[in-house]
Amino acid sequence: MTAIVRAVGIRKEFGGQEVLKGIDLEVQLGEVLCILGPSGSGKSTLLRCINHLETPDKGYVWIKGQIIGFELKNNMLCELPVKAVRAQQSRLGMVFQHFNLFAHRTVLGNIIEGPMQVRGVPRAAATQKAHELLELVGLSEKAEAWPGELSGGQKQRVAIARALAMEPSVMLFDEPTSALDPELVGEVLAVMKHLASTGTTMIVVTHEIGFAREVADRVIVMIDGEIRETGPADTVLTNPKDLRVRTFLSRVL
Ligand code: ADP
Ligand code: MG
């Protein structure tokens, strides 16, 4: 098996509060990992440490065997220059709760921006790829629309297409449906299910237990900055060993 993401001993504190208390995590090629847990348990911080939007206080993250944010120089780990970190981050697709589309660009413009600016992909090739991705997320007819003309579900599907355009090694989702009206959740989950079925490596922070049960190869439950339970979705969701995990799941199931 090939570990796409490997995190070892990740610790992070904010103003004396320990938010991540030593997280170890591995995600294999093509695996879908769902992270569940109460609000404030450190899920977003963990994703932000994985893509180095936050630097862990302790511990390291490897993406496809390459340590993120650091390089080895004379046997010492040194922080990478910002530009090199950005290049590494561009291999991690991130989809947030809020869509963060560029409001002053069309849907197509949003999708081709990264590949053209960061990767130097020619406009024609980037555009062709963008049309393929829009078809994948079911929005072929919206290429020339402005973000302001889209529903929340459509915006989130564009955000997914935009992340995929960078051909990421792994897709990180942070509660991608939490900000959506209930009737729009399904269309976004359907796209994510499709991605999972095509072998995309995914880490998904979600409160959608049904999605986790159906799609996740493995589920992690975080409580107070620790992984309290990990295993196949069925095992974790139906028969968790940890008492606090049971309490949490009994509230959300
Ligand atoms: P979750 O995503 O599970 O809801 P978070 O990772 O967002 O949890 O937050 C975990 C804890 O860390 C919370 O108590 C939150 O207030 C705190 N926290 C997160 N980011 C910051 C930050 N940049 N500065 C200070 N505290 C933060
Ligand atoms: Mg969060």
Side-chain angles (χ1 to χ4, degrees):
M1 295 253 261
T2 322
I4 297 296
V5 178
R6 189 158 84 93
V8 176
I10 304 296
R11 290 181 179 274
K12 185 74 187 175
E13 62 172 61
F14 292 113
Q17 184 205 356
E18 232 188 346
V19 170
L20 297 177
K21 300 175 179 170
I23 301 284
D24 299 319
L25 183 80
E26 259 194 26
V27 182
Q28 310 298 329
L29 180 65
E31 192 179 19
V32 178
L33 175 72
C34 281
I35 303 180
L36 312 178
S39 176
S41 56
K43 306 179 298 295
S44 295
T45 305
L46 176 59
L47 282 192
R48 292 170 60 81
C49 283
I50 288 173
N51 68 10
H52 219 71
L53 284 175
E54 299 280 0
T55 308
D57 298 331
K58 288 217 174 88
Y60 298 99
V61 174
W62 287 260
I63 306 293
K64 281 179 138 180
Q66 193 187 33
I67 194 161
I68 189 159
F70 299 90
E71 63 184 332
L72 261 182
K73 263 191 195 163
N74 308 322
N75 267 338
M76 299 236 308
L77 273 182
C78 306
E79 281 189 40
L80 274 176
V82 173
K83 209 175 154 199
V85 177
R86 295 278 177 273
Q88 289 182 322
Q89 286 170 328
S90 75
R91 291 294 178 194
L92 301 164
M94 185 85 191
V95 177
F96 300 92
Q97 189 173 346
H98 298 282
F99 332 104
N100 309 101
L101 296 179
F102 306 119
H104 56 288
R105 299 249 158 82
T106 62
V107 163
L108 186 75
N110 266 277
I111 299 173
I112 64 176
E113 165 93 10
M116 285 174 58
Q117 297 299 325
V118 181
R119 289 280 147 66
V121 176
R123 178 176 290 272
T127 302
Q128 191 193 333
K129 172 91 184 170
H131 283 295
E132 286 168 26
L133 290 169
L134 281 172
E135 196 174 336
L136 181 89
V137 301
L139 290 172
S140 297
E141 75 289 5
K142 295 290 185 192
E144 299 309 324
W146 297 92
E149 300 166 343
L150 303 179
S151 72
Q154 291 171 331
K155 279 184 204 163
Q156 197 60 304
R157 286 187 280 151
V158 173
I160 292 171
R162 184 176 62 174
L164 290 169
M166 297 299 279
E167 301 182 334
S169 306
V170 54
M171 286 286 287
L172 309 175
F173 293 87
D174 194 356
E175 300 194 27
T177 59
S178 304
L180 298 178
D181 291 334
E183 73 271 21
L184 304 177
V185 168
E187 65 192 61
V188 174
L189 293 181
V191 167
M192 292 167 64
K193 269 181 214 169
H194 176 70
L195 284 183
S197 74
T198 57
T200 310
T201 310
M202 296 163 59
I203 302 181
V204 184
V205 172
T206 186
H207 294 300
E208 297 288 338
I209 304 291
F211 175 86
R213 197 186 285 281
E214 196 179 331
V215 180
D217 295 300
R218 203 151 48 87
V219 166
I220 276 177
V221 183
M222 280 182 70
I223 292 184
D224 282 350
E226 291 177 314
I227 295 177
R228 295 292 281 259
E229 193 97 23
T230 174
D234 259 354
T235 316
V236 169
L237 296 174
T238 47
N239 195 18
K241 293 188 253 344
D242 188 281
L243 190 61
R244 290 188 65 188
V245 172
R246 277 188 196 191
T247 311
F248 163 68
L249 288 174
S250 69
R251 284 201 202 108
V252 292
L253 278 174

